[in-house]
Each structure stands twice: as structure tokens, then as C-alpha cells.
Amino acid sequence: MRILCTNDDGIHAPGLKVVEEIARALSDDVWVVAPELDQSGVSHSLSLNDPLRLREVGPRHFAVRGTPTDCVIMGARHILGAQLPDLVLSGVNKGRNVAEDVVYSGTIAGALEGTILGLPSFALSQEFSIETRDAPLWDTALKFGPDILRKVIAAGVPKNTVINVNFPACAPDQVAGIMVTRQGKRNQGFLRVDERRDGRGNPYFWIGFERIAVVDMPAEGTDLAALAARYVSVTPLRLDRTDEAFSEALTATLK
């Protein structure tokens, strides 16, 4: 099995070594094509107005000055030659990708691009806590990742579905189990725009986050609830975002 690995944290991110180790538990034909720089939050951005610079950093390891989407396209359509990968792994992201994160996440986008190309694709993310922010518990992803991949691949990944896997912020022996979940929804009150001044007194802005006073209880069965209970969350995400129920209502409305 030929595996293409990418991420959004960049070619030197610790999580990229983790996803490569997970891949090597499944195959010895592993290729790494990742962004030259951190691309967190770029979503499914595709570089159409800028050239892509490619740098070989080692055997079967390449850095692209572009987005995760660019990396998957470059890997599948150029670097790997005539033989396409059999599997795309994106991650392991430092921090979870759940709820509305899936809209912004470059990690999710890398896997989605693999799905668009017709390849079974997984997004992998390691949650961290306040205590583990500077040292995420990568061993949790390493322990559970390979077996989850084997089982899902054996069952068969639907053609237009990407598998979003999030590992909880706890040691492997503290994981309660594996849970198939749906995408959750969080309180968006923590987003803020922080205005500052540069050395010349001109304003500039950071989009930031702040803790909310009261944390909402996540809905049962969601990715948020699973991680809160120390379960590995496995969420199948569809490429087709059509709202079928509202589509029927809209059809009647617009007759």
C-alpha cells in the first residue's frame, strides 16, 4: 500500500513524524509532502495565483511552499509519478479538529483533497490540554491510530467520505475507548478581535480566542462529547454538503 502523508503544521512539525510512524505501521511505501510553513487555518485553500516551490528535504520527503491542498495535489499528480497513492493521511495535527474546526482546518482539507481525488483519506488530530499544550501526548495517537486505520480500511471508506479522527488529551492507558461520532457545535462566544498598535502607532489586528465563563455541555454523540469523556472520536464527514431536508422544502417554496 502506497501512503501519502501531509499536514498543515508544516514540514518540521512533530506531528508529521507521528503520522509517518502510523503510516509505517501499515506499509513501507510511505511518502511525505507537507507545507514549507505553518498553514493552520487555511481551510481548503488552493494556490492559483502563486507558483509552488518544491524542495526535497530527504528521501521521499518534500516541502511545498503552499497549502495542504497544494501538497496533496503535488504529491498525487506530480511527485509520486504514475502510481497514485492508495491512502492519504493528514496530520497528526497539534490540537483537535472538531465541531466548526472542520470548516477552517488545513488538516481536514488535506484529507478532503485526497477524497476529491478518489483516494481513501483520514484526518488525524491530537487534542491537548492546558497542561499538555507544549508537549501533546503523541503516544495516544501512535497507539490507537494504526488499528483504527486498519479496521476502517478493511470495512471500506465510501467514495465521497473523509474520516476525521481525534485522539483525546490523555495517556493511552486512560483512553476510555473508540466512539463513532457526529460533528458537534460549540459556543462561538470565545472568538474576539484584538486591536494593537505597531511602532508607528498604526493599528493592526489579531483574531484570537478567550475562555468563556461557562462551558456548554456538548451534545451526546458528538466529537466534542467523545473527547470530553476521553474517547477517540471517529467522525465520517461527507464531501457533499447538500442539505437534503431543506432542499425539499426549498423546492416546494420556489415552485
Side-chain angles (χ1 to χ4, degrees):
M1 181 165 55
R2 173 168 278 199
I3 303 177
L4 173 61
C5 298
T6 192
N7 72 351
D8 72 352
D9 289 331
I11 191 68
H12 299 298
L16 188 61
K17 295 182 176 64
V18 177
V19 82
E20 183 178 359
E21 190 169 339
I22 291 172
R24 293 195 181 282
L26 307 179
S27 172
D28 59 1
D29 190 3
V30 177
W31 296 72
V32 175
V33 184
E36 183 82 61
L37 305 171
D38 189 337
Q39 296 290 310
S40 298
V42 300
S43 187
H44 211 136
S45 178
L46 176 65
S47 298
L48 296 177
N49 298 311
D50 298 302
L52 298 178
R53 306 292 182 182
L54 179 65
R55 182 170 65 92
E56 186 171 1
V57 297
R60 298 188 181 184
H61 287 68
F62 298 84
V64 175
R65 191 168 284 270
T67 68
T69 301
D70 298 329
C71 291
V72 173
I73 293 173
M74 286 289 289
R77 297 299 191 193
H78 176 69
I79 296 170
L80 271 63
Q83 185 182 348
L84 285 172
D86 301 296
L87 179 69
V88 174
L89 302 181
S90 185
V92 173
N93 190 67
K94 180 185 175 183
R96 64 187 187 178
N97 277 305
V98 294
E100 294 84 1
D101 297 339
V102 304
V103 178
Y104 304 110
S105 169
T107 302
I108 301 289
L112 279 173
E113 189 58 35
T115 300
I116 289 173
L117 294 175
L119 308 169
S121 302
F122 292 75
L124 307 170
S125 302
Q126 176 62 59
E127 183 186 41
F128 59 77
S129 63
I130 295 174
E131 294 78 17
T132 62
R133 181 181 185 89
D134 296 325
L137 301 173
W138 300 114
D139 284 349
T140 302
L142 284 171
K143 177 176 174 59
F144 290 92
D147 197 42
I148 290 173
L149 293 178
R150 290 190 190 97
K151 289 180 178 179
V152 177
I153 291 168
V157 180
K159 191 172 183 180
N160 293 314
T161 300
V162 62
I163 309 300
N164 183 29
V165 183
N166 283 271
F167 304 98
C170 62
D173 61 357
Q174 296 176 321
V175 173
I178 300 168
M179 186 181 296
V180 177
T181 59
R182 67 181 187 277
Q183 183 182 338
K185 182 173 176 58
R186 65 161 65 87
N187 184 336
Q188 289 297 312
F190 63 92
L191 281 171
R192 73 169 191 272
V193 176
D194 186 7
E195 180 177 355
R196 303 182 186 182
R197 299 279 169 173
D198 64 19
R200 298 185 176 182
N202 298 314
Y204 67 95
F205 304 89
W206 283 106
I207 293 177
F209 305 90
E210 60 187 8
R211 292 188 192 179
I212 52 179
V214 179
V215 178
D216 292 341
M217 287 295 295
E220 186 177 349
T222 63
D223 44 20
L224 289 165
L227 290 180
R230 293 187 169 181
Y231 281 84
V232 178
S233 168
V234 180
T235 312
L237 301 173
R238 287 182 56 82
L239 188 62
D240 181 355
R241 300 181 183 181
T242 304
D243 186 332
E244 298 288 354
F246 186 60
S247 183
E248 294 179 9
L250 198 58
T251 300
T253 299
L254 297 178
K255 277 185 178 179

